[in-house]
Amino acid sequence: MKSLWLISREYAGIAEAGGVKNVACSLCEGLVRRGTKTTLFIPLYACSCLDEVEKYAKLPHQGTIQVADYSYPISWACGSIHGVDIVFIISSLFSNRRGVYTYTKEDQEQDPSCVRGEGHRETLVMNVLFQRAVLEYGLLFPKQVPHMIHCQDAAAALVPVFARHCEQYRAVFSNTHFVVTIHNAGPGYHHAFDNAETALKLTSLPEQCIRDGINSENGSVEPFLLASSCACLTTVSPWYAYEILNPQNHDTGGLSGEFIKRGVNIIGITNGIDCDRYTPEEPKKSLLTYPFSPAKKDLCGKYLCRNDFIQQHKECTQIYQGVEQYGFILPPQENTVWFSYHGRLVRQKGLFVLADAIEQLLPEHTEMRFIINGQGEAVLEERYEQLAARFPGRCIYFRGYDRALARLCTAIADFLVLPSDFEPCGLEDFIAQIFGTIPVAHATGGLNKIINGETGYLYHPNTGEKLCNLLAELAERFIIDHEFNMEIIAQAAVFVRYTYSWDEVINRKYMPLYRWLYDRTGTKTHASASWRNYED
């Protein structure tokens, strides 16, 4: 494949929000390493970081895009990062956004109606404008239009729909194949239009097209449903693909039933990880103070990092900018076992389950320490603030994000706890395994890539009692059988590197998928069982 466009609202190092940023970045850079000319399309936000962008330049071309009753001026800029070409979409709708999808603390301070953590009121307009601006670029430079366009998540899922159903784009993109990756089919991630009337007004798509995208459960118009008729749908693990297409799944806001009713197939390709970005053998990459090698069972540096952490946080001292610390950590006793969690504090992640388990464990298990790092829903933030106050010295909570702190909290633990109610793929379990930290996860979605008892531990059902019992059992075993745990640590570190590196995932999954789509020119775009013939 000679060239590909990747469409995303976020990208690691430029505009960061959720896990999409890592997939977009790693897939682009991996394709470049394979010799594919890869172009990223992304909005230019107020929060965009251009420090690593080379040859940034605004293009002289300008245009306008009509969305509902307003005509929005747009322009474009270009640049590159690590060999990936970039086209920035420039509009006032994006240029004043401090957060990619949500309002920030600063936004709320300026306008109390812009509540921190809530989505932008103009999100749907922003999505439409962004996606059409990508296609308008294709009209300006038709020779750059590739045979493959890969759209990341619901905010980019309408690109193939506009390309196929809008007369002005149809000819230029007639030979282009589209892939739309579902990163999260949970109700809060659909970027759906409330109803057909709103969708018609904002998109100007044909009425029949809009009707085909209606979710019969609630009347909303779903970008993923619209995309399913003109793009190949993928998701971020085969386990999550199975869950999305399970008629008993009630975590997709009705999407599962609609996909099944329409006979839509979804191809599951597990996300990879760029191990070299985290490798603990090189502190400049890992952002950890000391080097160590879990694959070689050398954890001396890991424990030195832990000692530094204890010294830094034995009092309630704010160290990291933008991160609030609640509680502190007492020096450990002889057989202390460390558990951590890093990620968003939202219901999907099962944080109430973890909080219940901590409340049951700490009164009796003085050997346990818990480190929680994340932000999100206010009720969950308050719950962990209370836990840190209730169990001084044994539970510490960091609200906010700092990359070095996030990695440190995972790296110094013995176990990383991931109690997600549902999880499309999961990245934190990979990071834990690279850092010699054993993941303990609810057996759901992409977390099923953990091999129970060999590269980590899985449990079910997802209750506080079940998790409490498992953590108590693992703590006891960790203390009395150090060699067994070292085997798991070493095996997991090797397994993730050789099975789930992005180069492996691209070579074994994405390149065959792109070839398969390219070879099916002129056929219906729905994925089918014949895809299996192309898998390596």
Side-chain angles (χ1 to χ4, degrees):
M1 185 177 60
K2 293 183 179 179
S3 62
L4 176 142
W5 287 2
L6 188 135
I7 320 300
S8 179
R9 285 277 309 267
E10 54 181 288
Y11 193 87
I14 295 178
E16 303 192 349
V20 177
K21 67 180 184 296
N22 300 303
V23 176
C25 176
S26 298
L27 185 53
C28 281
E29 292 186 6
L31 289 169
V32 167
R33 287 193 295 271
R34 282 189 56 94
T36 299
K37 179 177 173 58
T38 305
T39 304
L40 164 72
F41 285 78
I42 190 171
L44 185 66
Y45 307 96
C47 62
S48 293
C49 177
L50 304 183
D51 292 350
E52 295 186 73
V53 175
E54 300 177 344
K55 300 179 181 178
Y56 176 86
K58 290 186 177 181
L59 299 179
H61 308 77
Q62 296 183 349
T64 58
I65 292 177
Q66 186 80 20
V67 181
D69 300 324
Y70 192 81
S71 185
Y72 292 91
I74 59 165
S75 58
W76 300 264
C78 61
S80 67
I81 184 168
H82 303 154
V84 178
D85 294 330
I86 310 171
V87 175
F88 292 99
I89 307 300
I90 301 175
S91 165
S92 59
L93 267 182
F94 296 103
S95 60
N96 61 358
R97 300 300 177 187
R98 298 184 180 94
V100 174
Y101 303 113
T102 60
Y103 294 113
T104 65
K105 180 181 178 181
E106 292 77 11
D107 292 328
Q108 185 170 352
E109 290 173 350
Q110 288 189 0
D111 182 353
S113 70
C114 300
V115 179
R116 178 177 67 89
E118 290 188 359
H120 298 130
R121 288 186 287 267
E122 306 89 346
T123 289
L124 296 178
V125 175
M126 294 164 69
N127 289 343
V128 170
L129 183 70
F130 167 54
Q131 294 170 96
R132 287 191 55 193
V134 171
L135 299 174
E136 290 289 330
Y137 181 90
L139 298 185
L140 288 173
F141 304 100
K143 291 184 178 180
Q144 295 185 27
V145 173
H147 285 103
M148 197 67 58
I149 294 181
H150 196 153
C151 307
Q152 302 297 319
D153 225 7
L158 290 181
V159 170
V161 183
F162 287 127
R164 293 289 183 257
H165 292 280
C166 293
E167 186 64 35
Q168 66 267 42
Y169 307 130
R170 195 173 296 156
V172 172
F173 292 91
S174 61
N175 293 322
T176 300
H177 298 274
F178 294 92
V179 179
V180 172
T181 294
I182 302 172
H183 288 263
N184 194 325
Y189 301 89
H190 292 190
H191 290 254
F193 303 91
D194 289 340
N195 50 57
E197 291 70 27
T198 300
L200 282 166
K201 183 177 181 180
L202 294 181
T203 66
S204 299
L205 286 165
E207 184 173 354
Q208 185 54 52
C209 173
I210 294 296
R211 298 292 174 192
D212 291 341
I214 293 178
N215 182 342
S216 59
E217 181 172 296
N218 54 30
S220 63
V221 176
E222 303 277 1
F224 288 138
L225 290 181
L226 290 169
S228 67
S229 64
C230 46
C232 172
L233 297 191
T234 70
T235 191
V236 292
S237 73
W239 303 277
Y240 195 55
Y242 172 80
E243 290 179 6
I244 291 176
L245 296 177
N246 183 345
Q248 304 303 316
N249 189 343
H250 302 295
D251 292 328
T252 65
L255 271 182
S256 293
E258 293 293 338
F259 285 140
I260 293 167
K261 182 168 62 178
R262 298 160 194 241
V264 175
N265 191 28
I266 299 172
I267 296 170
I269 299 178
T270 304
N271 287 337
I273 183 170
D274 282 324
C275 298
D276 287 343
R277 293 182 185 271
Y278 301 90
T279 179
E281 290 85 355
E282 300 181 44
K284 286 186 178 180
K285 293 181 178 179
S286 69
L287 305 184
L288 304 172
T289 308
Y290 304 99
F292 56 97
S293 178
K296 297 179 180 179
K297 300 183 181 180
D298 172 16
L299 301 184
C300 292
K302 178 184 179 82
Y303 301 136
L304 288 172
C305 289
R306 181 186 294 175
N307 290 338
D308 283 357
F309 178 88
I310 294 166
Q311 291 302 313
Q312 289 176 336
H313 301 290
K314 61 185 179 181
E315 297 178 352
C316 293
T317 305
Q318 307 297 318
I319 296 176
Y320 294 89
Q321 185 175 2
V323 177
E324 298 173 272
Q325 176 182 328
Y326 296 88
F328 58 94
I329 285 292
L330 287 172
Q333 54 196 61
E334 183 179 355
N335 291 318
T336 301
V337 183
W338 295 74
F339 299 90
S340 71
Y341 169 83
H342 167 254
R344 292 178 294 124
L345 265 62
V346 294
R347 294 173 190 272
Q348 174 202 330
K349 300 295 184 180
L351 273 302
F352 285 111
V353 173
L354 177 57
D356 289 345
I358 292 173
E359 285 189 329
Q360 295 176 58
L361 287 165
L362 286 185
E364 297 182 7
H365 294 271
T366 58
E367 80 280 8
M368 290 185 176
R369 300 288 185 272
F370 283 87
I371 306 167
I372 310 298
N373 177 207
Q375 58 188 344
E377 297 175 14
V379 64
L380 282 166
E381 293 179 348
E382 292 171 7
R383 182 82 182 271
Y384 283 95
E385 291 173 25
Q386 293 167 2
L387 286 172
R390 180 178 172 186
F391 301 104
R394 291 188 288 148
C395 181
I396 188 169
Y397 168 50
F398 298 98
R399 183 172 69 187
Y401 177 76
D402 177 272
R403 182 182 294 179
L405 174 64
R407 294 188 180 188
L408 183 64
C409 289
T410 297
I412 65 173
D414 299 308
F415 297 95
L416 180 75
V417 187
L418 300 169
S420 298
D421 288 328
F422 68 95
E423 190 67 57
C425 184
L427 179 66
E428 296 301 327
D429 54 319
F430 279 153
I431 297 172
Q433 290 167 333
I434 292 171
F435 286 160
T437 302
I438 300 173
V440 182
H442 175 221
T444 185
L447 293 175
N448 282 295
K449 63 183 177 292
I450 297 169
I451 303 175
N452 190 38
E454 297 183 22
T455 64
Y457 294 96
L458 297 172
Y459 70 93
H460 187 79
N462 197 23
T463 64
E465 182 180 3
K466 183 71 174 182
L467 180 58
C468 172
N469 292 337
L470 176 59
L471 296 186
E473 177 186 328
L474 292 177
E476 181 179 359
R477 188 172 192 176
F478 192 85
I479 293 169
I480 65 176
D481 196 349
H482 180 71
E483 186 56 35
F484 177 79
N485 290 291
M486 286 301 297
E487 288 297 328
I488 289 182
I489 288 168
Q491 184 165 304
V494 173
F495 179 75
V496 67
R497 179 173 293 275
Y498 288 101
T499 307
Y500 289 113
S501 72
W502 265 109
D503 285 339
E504 280 292 306
V505 172
I506 290 170
N507 290 339
R508 292 175 48 245
K509 298 294 182 179
Y510 278 111
M511 293 310 295
L513 173 65
Y514 297 146
R515 288 197 301 269
W516 174 67
L517 288 172
Y518 185 81
D519 289 348
R520 298 174 73 243
T521 301
T523 64
K524 192 176 180 182
T525 312
H526 270 320
S528 70
S530 62
W531 145 250
R532 299 301 175 192
N533 298 328
Y534 274 70
E535 286 189 286
D536 291 353

